[in-house]
Amino acid sequence: MTPKEAMEFAKNRKIEMVDLKFMDFIGTWQHFAVPVYELSEDSFEEGFGFDGSSIRGWQPIHASDMLVIPESATAVIDPFITRPTMSLICNIVDPITKENYSRDPRNIARKAEAYLKSTGVADTAFFGPEAEFFIFDDIRYATASNYGYYHIDSAEGVWNSGREEKPNLGYKPRHKEGYFPVPPTDSQHDLRDEMVRVMESIGLKVEAQHHEVATAGQAEIDLHFDTLVKVADALQWYKYIVKNVARKFGKTVTFMPKPLYGDNGSGMHCHQSLWKNGKPLFAGEEYGGLSKMALHYIGGILKHAPAICAFSNPTMNSYKRLVPGFEAPVNLAYSSRNRSASVRIPMYSPSPKAKRLEFRTPDPSCNGYIAFAAMLMAGLDGIQNKIHPGEPLDKDIYALSPEELSSVPTTPGSLEESLKALEADNDFLLKGDVFTPDVIEKWIEYKIDAEVNPVKMRPTPHEFFLYFDC
């Protein structure tokens, strides 16, 4: 959709407001709205001003003026705002230099796509994220110098099997038994269907929706794969829609990787493949029906995985899911079909077009623009340097002896370790000016100051349980 077509779109649908959405540095959508008469074709080049110093990780107050430049091709009708509103996803530009802002995550993703084309390796990178989430009925939390707590509740939670609900009708999934039971055990089918309906109303393509493994309303809706920037845009719409539909039903959604102790966390397995001139490049005669290029791409992912984790698993909570010895993809190995490897080669279809790899380590707390870009840059580094991923691991990793397991590298054990890995290994990200040094430096600085240190310094309720009487 061109700027002219976007203006016609607004006119034909009697749009009254225009909502301008953009991504902050950490990964949360931001927005502000203007009356439709403030939008013209020139707006798609001149943009709208805002205060960049109020956005996490961005400008200092003495250089705060920034511009959002709406992208006309992203125009849709916002499904939740009462007044007829056209939504536009925006890029961030410096008002003085007119350069794209280095810390705009969408700019990083756009540069990753441009770099891919410049290499001649491929012209298209497809990504297909499988973001999991929890749908809860109630969440309470607070923290201060003298207390800290959280309390989660769900009508589906197995802990409520004995609660007086007048009547309690049962059918609450037990821990790790939430995968695929029909209603009434799956009590949220209609809710997920409504999420899918709203996604489809704005043009998103959905492959499937289902209950996930954990008790208490863990869910998954799978987006159809698309090119890197488009699927990162779609992931933001996905989160926005899921949260707002849940709220309309009187429920709440979290994409925290590990909100519940003793049950599965939420991951975001990322399917990815490279194409050129409309032809898939990952199909071949090597292991798992892959090409040598695909194996080298995997080699890059596995080599740089500790650094990638700083973006793909970017929270302190992420590492409560990535714990060795449990059902989490912490082992940096690859395999066909084996879901205990961090990189899996799906074997559902023999079609070359379906040949892809699935990186299982990421979680949905990540900023999709940055995380997908980092994965692509790692894979390209693997191709350019012909990094072989080693031998595949087709055994059950969790059944290996300590001796066998000792040779299998693992993901970092904490966000702090991931940030140290990123600090030590980031040259592959700097190629093509995709990531810039200021992005990496600011990411590490922000995460240490705003997340790592505050969490490290606070006692938790379980520490009182363990140590108060010491």
Side-chain angles (χ1 to χ4, degrees):
M1 192 182 297
T2 64
K4 183 177 180 180
E5 290 169 336
M7 296 300 296
E8 285 296 316
F9 178 89
K11 181 180 178 181
N12 293 339
R13 287 159 179 78
K14 296 181 171 56
I15 293 298
E16 298 178 16
M17 296 292 289
V18 179
D19 199 53
L20 304 169
K21 295 180 172 71
F22 63 96
M23 177 66 91
D24 77 0
F25 191 49
I26 307 305
T28 301
W29 241 4
Q30 310 290 317
H31 81 129
F32 63 95
V34 299
V36 70
Y37 53 74
E38 290 293 321
L39 185 74
S40 67
E41 287 188 47
D42 290 341
S43 302
F44 294 92
E45 292 185 4
E46 296 174 0
F48 297 86
F50 74 102
D51 176 9
S53 69
S54 296
I55 304 299
R56 297 180 298 176
W58 278 9
Q59 292 293 91
I61 197 166
H62 64 273
S64 61
D65 288 354
M66 302 292 287
L67 291 174
V68 294
I69 307 294
E71 191 162 306
S72 59
T74 66
V76 296
I77 296 175
D78 193 294
F80 298 107
I81 297 175
T82 302
R83 199 174 179 192
T85 298
M86 179 171 71
S87 175
L88 292 165
I89 296 176
C90 303
N91 301 310
I92 309 302
V93 168
D94 185 287
I96 306 300
T97 66
K98 302 300 182 182
E99 293 180 351
N100 290 310
Y101 187 41
S102 63
R103 295 183 200 168
D104 173 14
R106 197 168 189 270
N107 179 38
I108 293 170
R110 290 161 64 211
K111 287 191 292 182
E113 286 190 321
Y115 175 70
L116 170 66
K117 292 177 183 178
S118 75
T119 65
V121 170
D123 54 36
T124 306
F126 283 119
F127 282 78
E130 297 178 348
E132 299 168 345
F133 54 94
F134 278 88
I135 304 168
F136 293 137
D137 291 314
D138 188 63
I139 173 68
R140 291 179 286 119
Y141 54 87
T143 182
S145 62
N146 64 321
Y147 64 84
Y149 71 88
Y150 67 90
H151 188 274
I152 294 167
D153 207 4
S154 165
E156 271 201 2
V158 67
W159 55 82
N160 284 323
S161 62
R163 183 172 66 176
E164 287 193 26
E165 296 180 350
K166 299 179 182 180
N168 186 326
L169 300 177
Y171 295 106
K172 302 179 191 300
R174 289 175 286 272
H175 288 298
K176 301 184 183 295
E177 293 186 22
Y179 195 65
F180 281 19
V182 298
T185 302
D186 178 3
S187 69
Q188 297 174 346
H189 180 96
D190 288 343
L191 173 55
R192 296 193 306 272
D193 262 356
E194 176 63 9
M195 293 170 177
V196 171
R197 185 195 68 77
V198 178
M199 289 179 192
E200 291 172 336
S201 76
I202 64 158
L204 298 188
K205 293 182 180 179
V206 173
E207 292 186 344
Q209 64 95 335
H210 59 85
H211 204 290
E212 257 298 342
V213 173
T215 188
Q218 190 181 34
E220 180 177 318
I221 300 173
D222 296 334
L223 291 173
H224 195 271
F225 67 87
D226 210 331
T227 54
L228 192 157
V229 173
K230 286 183 178 180
V231 85
D233 287 345
L235 181 62
Q236 288 311 114
W237 273 113
Y238 176 103
K239 291 183 175 183
Y240 179 72
I241 290 168
V242 163
K243 291 176 181 178
N244 279 283
V245 170
R247 189 176 182 87
K248 283 196 169 187
F249 277 69
K251 297 181 184 293
T252 189
V253 158
T254 182
F255 287 92
M256 275 181 68
K258 191 71 173 180
L260 293 180
Y261 169 72
D263 213 332
N264 284 40
S266 293
M268 190 177 75
H269 308 150
C270 293
H271 297 256
Q272 44 203 288
S273 63
L274 298 182
W275 291 53
K276 189 173 185 179
N277 299 325
K279 295 181 180 179
L281 301 179
F282 276 10
E285 303 300 322
E286 302 295 321
Y287 174 83
L290 294 178
S291 63
K292 288 184 178 179
M293 176 186 288
L295 285 179
H296 292 149
Y297 189 101
I298 292 172
I301 291 283
L302 295 178
K303 176 183 177 181
H304 299 298
I308 295 172
C309 282
F311 297 118
S312 65
N313 303 80
T315 69
M316 295 290 280
N317 185 255
S318 296
Y319 298 87
K320 290 178 168 57
R321 168 180 169 258
L322 295 180
V323 178
F326 295 89
E327 292 182 24
V330 300
N331 297 287
L332 297 176
Y334 73 104
S335 175
S336 63
R337 304 178 69 181
N338 189 345
R339 282 176 163 80
S340 62
S342 62
V343 175
R344 184 177 75 96
I345 304 157
M347 303 297 288
Y348 299 124
S349 171
S351 170
K353 293 182 178 180
K355 191 54 64 178
R356 62 196 187 275
L357 65 93
E358 176 192 26
F359 185 34
R360 297 174 61 81
T361 301
D363 69 56
S365 69
C366 73
N367 181 330
Y369 296 103
I370 296 179
F372 299 153
M375 292 176 217
L376 176 60
M377 296 302 289
L380 287 175
D381 187 64
I383 292 169
Q384 291 162 336
N385 291 293
K386 293 182 169 54
I387 300 172
H388 196 276
E391 295 302 313
L393 192 55
D394 290 330
K395 300 177 182 179
D396 180 354
I397 292 177
Y398 303 111
L400 294 180
S401 67
E403 292 75 19
E404 292 175 299
L405 201 56
S406 65
S407 62
V408 180
T410 62
T411 56
S414 68
L415 177 58
E416 189 171 19
E417 288 181 26
S418 293
L419 295 170
K420 288 179 179 177
L422 175 62
E423 190 173 33
D425 176 27
N426 58 57
D427 286 348
F428 71 100
L429 297 170
L430 301 177
K431 294 178 181 177
D433 200 38
V434 174
F435 287 75
T436 52
D438 77 293
V439 167
I440 293 169
E441 291 164 9
K442 190 64 179 181
W443 185 268
I444 294 171
E445 174 192 313
Y446 178 89
K447 287 288 176 177
I448 291 291
D449 292 344
E451 299 179 30
V452 173
N453 287 339
V455 173
K456 281 173 64 177
M457 293 189 295
R458 281 171 169 78
T460 66
H462 199 65
E463 287 175 298
F464 282 85
F465 177 79
L466 291 173
Y467 308 127
F468 186 75
D469 59 350
C470 64

